[in-house]
Amino acid sequence: TDSIFIGHGVGALAISGLAITFPLMNLSAAFGSLVGVGASTLMSLRLGQKDYYTANNILGNVFVLNLILGLIYTVVILTFLDPILYFFGASEETLPYAHDFMVIISLGNIITHIYLGLNALLRATGNPKKAMNATLFTVLINVILDPLFIFVFGWGIRGAAIATVLAQAIMLVWQIRFFSDRSNSIHLRKGSFRLKRKIVIDSLSIGLAPFLMHAVASVIVVIINTSLIRYGGDLAVGAYGVINRMAFLFVMVVFG
């Protein structure tokens, strides 16, 4: 969604700048998978055992873990953002676009992490339709806000980033409200936010495989981008970014 509106509303170099940020976005998703996939698998096991006490603790631990990892990721990325983007293949022309986009995305990274983690738990607690609707509404809100922020307000690539974070924030509020409902057997409760060593270790152990898959994918994109900059220039990076997103649509079907 961002790619479409940035391409039409900001320009080709902005698409190239967006493509430079793809490894960082993928790495953020990797940390989301590290907690979300592992904890949702653990949640399914505990619910199958009728262990609702541990299941509720898993929910609280996921919230806190994503908060901690999201905060660490944000601080590290914002501290070394420009050197990282240059290393990933940014040029003097594309760096401003990549920088502007990633600053806002990084500031909203905690929201993204918690949103992805809670969505994974929505599926694991027997609410796959609610998880799907949360995703669809996030995209729908993004589609509405992108043209508003880019074309009407003239915020450029920053507008696309704000739209992305705001869409996730709106749905995160809905997720928290759902998991705060005491009529649900699994809900956020006092005491569940205290990290439990076994839950943390088991969740991270299970989530390590998808984390590594995302991390390796990020490394591959970095290698391709730096090669494209050397032999094809900024527009080649942008073209690869578009192709990569199209290919990702088919990959997502397999993930689903």
Side-chain angles (χ1 to χ4, degrees):
T1 302
D2 286 340
S3 299
I4 293 168
F5 287 109
I6 288 171
H8 287 285
V10 188
L13 282 176
I15 284 287
S16 298
L18 190 66
I20 295 297
T21 68
F22 192 76
L24 281 175
M25 301 281 281
N26 216 20
L27 196 58
S28 178
F31 281 105
S33 297
L34 179 65
V35 178
V37 173
S40 62
T41 305
L42 205 60
M43 175 73 80
S44 297
L45 289 169
R46 296 297 170 259
L47 288 177
Q49 296 165 348
K50 310 291 185 186
D51 185 358
Y52 297 110
Y53 174 77
T54 304
N56 276 293
N57 283 331
I58 291 170
L59 175 61
N61 275 221
V62 164
F63 196 95
V64 175
L65 264 178
N66 277 311
L67 186 66
I68 294 169
L69 287 175
L71 183 61
I72 293 171
Y73 183 87
T74 298
V75 171
V76 171
I77 294 302
L78 288 178
T79 303
F80 304 103
L81 182 57
D82 283 359
I84 290 171
L85 292 174
Y86 274 125
F87 178 74
F88 283 3
S91 67
E92 294 296 332
E93 287 74 26
T94 58
L95 180 68
Y97 296 107
H99 176 93
D100 287 351
F101 187 80
M102 276 313 302
V103 164
I104 293 166
I105 292 294
S106 297
L107 288 172
N109 191 61
I110 293 173
I111 292 170
T112 303
H113 275 213
I114 299 174
Y115 161 78
L116 291 173
L118 292 185
N119 223 39
L121 291 186
L122 267 176
R123 287 191 295 272
T125 52
N127 297 287
K129 285 185 179 179
K130 283 185 171 61
M132 180 182 70
N133 287 336
T135 305
L136 291 175
F137 277 113
T138 302
V139 175
L140 182 62
I141 294 167
N142 206 355
V143 168
I144 294 168
L145 294 180
D146 263 342
L148 180 67
F149 292 167
I150 294 173
F151 297 110
V152 179
F153 293 170
W155 291 348
I157 199 166
R158 284 195 190 99
I162 294 170
T164 298
V165 173
L166 194 55
Q168 292 175 350
I170 291 169
M171 292 316 300
L172 175 60
V173 171
W174 175 82
Q175 289 172 333
I176 292 173
R177 283 190 65 185
F178 176 82
F179 279 119
S180 298
D181 187 350
R182 293 180 179 274
S183 64
N184 295 323
S185 56
I186 306 302
H187 60 269
L188 294 166
R189 60 175 67 175
K190 219 175 196 180
S192 65
F193 296 102
R194 186 177 299 163
L195 291 177
K196 302 283 194 289
R197 185 178 176 185
K198 182 167 174 53
I199 291 175
V200 172
I201 292 173
D202 288 350
S203 297
L204 298 183
S205 299
I206 296 169
L208 189 60
F211 169 80
L212 291 174
M213 285 174 62
H214 280 290
V216 170
S218 296
V219 173
I220 291 169
V221 173
V222 170
I223 293 169
I224 292 172
N225 279 347
T226 51
S227 300
L228 286 172
I229 278 290
R230 188 177 301 121
Y231 299 110
D234 291 327
L235 292 181
V237 173
Y240 173 67
V242 173
I243 294 166
N244 206 16
R245 277 161 174 75
M246 289 176 65
F248 216 66
L249 291 174
F250 296 99
V251 173
M252 279 299 174
V253 176
V254 179
F255 283 167

